[in-house]
Amino acid sequence: MKKQLTPIHRLNGTIKVPGDKSISHRSVMFGSIAEGKTTINGFLTGEDCLSTISCFKKLGVNIVQDGEHVTVEGSGISGLKQSSDDLYVGNSGTTIRLMLGILANTSFSSVLTGDESIAKRPMNRVTKPLREMGAEIEGNEEGNKVPLHIKGGNVKGIHYHSPIASAQVKSAILLAGLQGEGTTSVTEPLKSRDHTERMLEAFGVELKSDNLTVSIDGGQQLKGTHIEVPGDISSAAFFLVAGAIVPESTITLQKVGLNPTRTGILDVLHDMGAEISYENVNEEASEPYGDLVVKTSSLKGTVIEGDVIPRLIDEIPIIALAATQAEGETIIKDAQELRVKETDRIETVVNELQKMGAQIEATEDGMIIHGKSPLKGASVQSYGDHRIGMMLSIAACLAEGETTLDQSEAVAVSYPSFFDQLQRLSNP
Ligand code: SPQ
C-alpha cells in the first residue's frame, strides 16, 4: 500500500508506545511450555507476536488474546502436540529461531516456514548448534533456509561459543538445553539482549550468568506466572529521534523498557547532543522501565562501534536518519549483522535516504553519514521492512514536499498504531 506523507512542522504530546516485541514473544512461548496459567499485560498486538500465538495454538496450547491482555494455559513442554499444519512464522525471525530451540527435544516432527523475507534469512546460526545437541533438522541449503523440518532428538548439553552476539542464537540454545541432559552454556563475543534470562527466572528457572556466558541445567520445569510487558524502546526510538530533529517539539513517551542491554540508542543520542530526560523510572521490576521526555535539539556527528552495537542494532536505521540532521560526520562500524535482518538494512537505509537527498554511503559493516543535509520528498520503499518504513515516515516529516512510501503496511509488524500516534502528535 502506498502512503502519501506530508511535512510536519512540530510534534508535541504524550504517547504510550506498544509493548516490547522481544518480551511479548517470550511471554507467550514460555507461558506455552510452563505448567499452569500465565497472564500477560501490555502484549504487543503486532503481526510478529500474533504469529507466535498462532504457532503455539497449532501446537495445542490454549491461548486467549483480548487486545493487550493474553492468557496462556500451559501443560509443560511435554504438553505440546504435533501440528497437522506447517508452523507459519510470517516475518518473524525471533519466532522461528526460538521455536527451533523449543522443538529440539519434542517427540514429534514439525515444519516451520515464513514469508519472503524469512526465506532469505540464515537459519544455520541456530540449526548448526541444535543439531550438535541432537535435534534432527532438514531444510533448504542444508538446513540454512526455510522450510525447516525438525524432529526432536535426545538433546544433550553443549558448551557453545557463538561467533555472533545474537539473543536469538543464545535463546534457542538455552531453550533446547533446558530440556536436555546435563548443563548447556553459551558464550557470546559481546553481550546481546538478556530478556530470555530475565524471563526464565520469572518462570522459576535457575540460570547462571557470568559476563558473556550463560549456563542452564537441563530438566527444569517452568511455572506459570504474570508478565507485565513494558513499552518497546525500539518503537520509542522513532519518536525519540523525531522529537530531537523536528523543530519546536516536546514528546513524552510513557513506560518505555530500559533494560541496559537495549538502551544503546539513549547513550548514542546523548553523545550526539539530544536533550532526553527520564521520569518515573522503576529499576526494581524484572524489566526496568520509565518515561522519556525528548525535546528538539542540536545534534552533532559521532562514531558508533564495538560493544554498543548489539545494544542498538534494531535502532540503526533511525539513528542514520538522526545523523543526516547532525553537524559533521557519523560513522557506524561493526554492524554487519544489519545485512541479515528483515532486509539488508545497510543497503535499504542508504538507498532510500539517498533518494531523499541525504549524504550517506554504505560500507561493508555499516555506513558513513555527512550532516547536516536538507531532505526532499521522494518516492521511497519500505521493502516490507517495518523499521525502514517507520524511519522513512519520520524522514518525510522533515522533507520539503510530499513523500510517497510504498509497502507502508509493513509497520504493523511491530507498531500497528504508528501512523495514528504520529498524526496525534502532529495535531496536539
Ligand atoms: O524477530 P526479528 O525479525 O529478527 O526482528 C528484529 C527487528 O528488527 O525487530 C531483527 F530484525 O529484532 C531482533 C533483534 O535484531 C529481535 C531479537 C530478539 O527478540 O531476540 C534479537 C535481535 O536479533 P539477533 O539476531 O541479534 O538475535
Side-chain angles (χ1 to χ4, degrees):
M1 194 176 70
K2 282 195 167 68
K3 195 168 177 74
Q4 302 299 123
L5 299 160
T6 47
I8 289 178
H9 303 293
R10 62 185 68 83
L11 289 166
N12 283 288
T14 298
I15 54 170
K16 193 164 174 296
V17 298
D20 186 279
K21 177 158 79 69
S22 297
I23 298 175
S24 295
H25 281 304
R26 286 159 172 82
S27 63
V28 166
M29 291 181 181
F30 300 176
S32 294
I33 60 171
E35 290 276 4
K37 192 190 217 172
T38 291
T39 49
I40 307 161
N41 257 341
F43 182 78
L44 168 64
T45 59
E47 287 165 8
D48 269 13
C49 298
L50 298 180
S51 294
T52 292
I53 290 189
S54 142
C55 287
F56 280 92
K57 279 186 172 172
K58 285 185 183 170
L59 291 168
V61 184
N62 183 11
I63 305 174
V64 178
Q65 185 220 339
D66 177 11
E68 296 183 354
H69 186 76
V70 182
T71 308
V72 186
E73 303 275 356
S75 308
I77 203 146
S78 57
L80 298 180
K81 296 186 182 68
Q82 180 153 13
S83 167
S84 49
D85 280 347
D86 290 359
L87 301 170
Y88 180 74
V89 304
N91 191 246
S92 178
T94 307
T95 308
I96 192 163
R97 295 198 179 113
L98 270 60
M99 283 192 76
L100 285 166
I102 289 173
L103 296 170
N105 201 46
T106 49
S107 55
F108 52 82
S109 54
S110 307
V111 180
L112 291 105
T113 186
D115 71 4
E116 256 176 66
S117 155
I118 281 293
K120 292 188 195 137
R121 295 179 71 182
M123 295 298 147
N124 54 3
R125 52 183 56 202
V126 292
T127 55
K128 181 180 164 285
L130 292 177
R131 279 170 168 165
E132 279 174 35
M133 295 175 84
E136 285 175 37
I137 306 174
E138 279 170 29
N140 283 339
E141 289 182 18
E142 295 176 5
N144 189 27
K145 298 280 166 68
V146 296
L148 294 172
H149 297 245
I150 179 163
K151 187 167 178 319
N154 283 328
V155 163
K156 290 194 179 53
I158 169 183
H159 297 287
Y160 189 67
H161 281 260
S162 176
I164 45 174
S166 160
Q168 294 175 358
V169 171
K170 173 175 65 179
S171 303
I173 296 170
L174 292 174
L175 289 165
L178 185 63
Q179 311 162 57
E181 218 183 280
T183 302
T184 291
S185 66
V186 184
T187 303
E188 304 186 274
L190 298 170
K191 193 169 166 72
S192 65
R193 64 191 68 187
D194 64 0
H195 304 299
T196 291
E197 296 91 303
R198 287 172 188 251
M199 199 183 292
L200 282 176
E201 278 170 357
F203 276 90
V205 170
E206 282 181 25
L207 301 106
K208 273 194 217 104
S209 291
D210 178 13
N211 195 20
L212 298 174
T213 300
V214 187
S215 323
I216 196 165
D217 288 336
Q220 301 186 64
Q221 180 58 57
L222 282 73
K223 287 172 216 69
T225 187
H226 176 72
I227 301 289
E228 280 291 326
V229 183
D232 197 327
I233 191 165
S234 298
S235 300
F238 297 100
F239 290 108
L240 287 172
V241 170
I245 64 179
V246 173
E248 294 177 50
S249 300
T250 301
I251 305 176
T252 302
L253 300 158
Q254 293 176 317
K255 231 182 153 186
V256 178
L258 296 174
N259 177 320
T261 61
R262 297 283 299 283
T263 50
I265 173 105
L266 295 174
D267 298 347
V268 163
L269 288 177
H270 182 258
D271 287 348
M272 294 176 82
E275 273 188 64
I276 299 174
S277 54
Y278 297 67
E279 290 174 3
N280 305 316
V281 174
N282 181 344
E283 303 244 17
E284 306 308 314
S286 106
E287 289 284 353
Y289 61 86
D291 300 345
L292 299 172
V293 184
V294 59
K295 294 193 164 107
T296 309
S297 317
S298 300
L299 300 184
K300 59 180 194 306
T302 188
V303 177
I304 306 167
E305 61 184 338
D307 56 7
V308 77
I309 295 292
R311 297 178 55 231
L312 49 64
I313 188 75
D314 297 338
E315 289 67 75
I316 290 178
I318 191 69
I319 290 173
L321 173 64
T324 69
Q325 303 308 304
E327 289 297 342
E329 191 175 69
T330 295
I331 302 175
I332 303 172
K333 294 187 214 171
D334 304 325
Q336 55 277 15
E337 273 293 298
L338 289 176
R339 295 205 180 270
V340 289
K341 298 294 182 185
E342 284 82 328
T343 55
D344 174 339
R345 287 181 176 161
I346 296 181
E347 212 175 283
T348 46
V349 166
V350 169
N351 287 349
E352 300 311 287
L353 283 177
Q354 277 178 350
K355 289 182 190 165
M356 298 184 78
Q359 307 288 307
I360 178 167
E361 60 194 88
T363 60
E364 200 39 53
D365 65 347
M367 42 195 115
I368 300 174
I369 303 126
H370 304 274
K372 170 178 181 172
S373 349
L375 299 180
K376 57 179 195 304
S379 200
V380 291
Q381 256 284 1
S382 75
Y383 300 95
D385 184 333
H386 52 131
R387 302 210 188 277
I388 301 300
M390 289 186 274
M391 180 276 286
L392 292 168
S393 305
I394 301 298
C397 297
L398 287 182
E400 198 190 315
E402 200 166 273
T403 296
T404 307
L405 172 65
D406 200 4
Q407 288 188 264
S408 59
E409 67 282 359
V411 308
V413 160
S414 63
Y415 204 156
S417 56
F418 174 76
F419 288 116
D420 288 346
Q421 290 192 336
L422 180 58
Q423 172 75 23
R424 192 137 51 81
L425 291 171
S426 65
N427 291 310

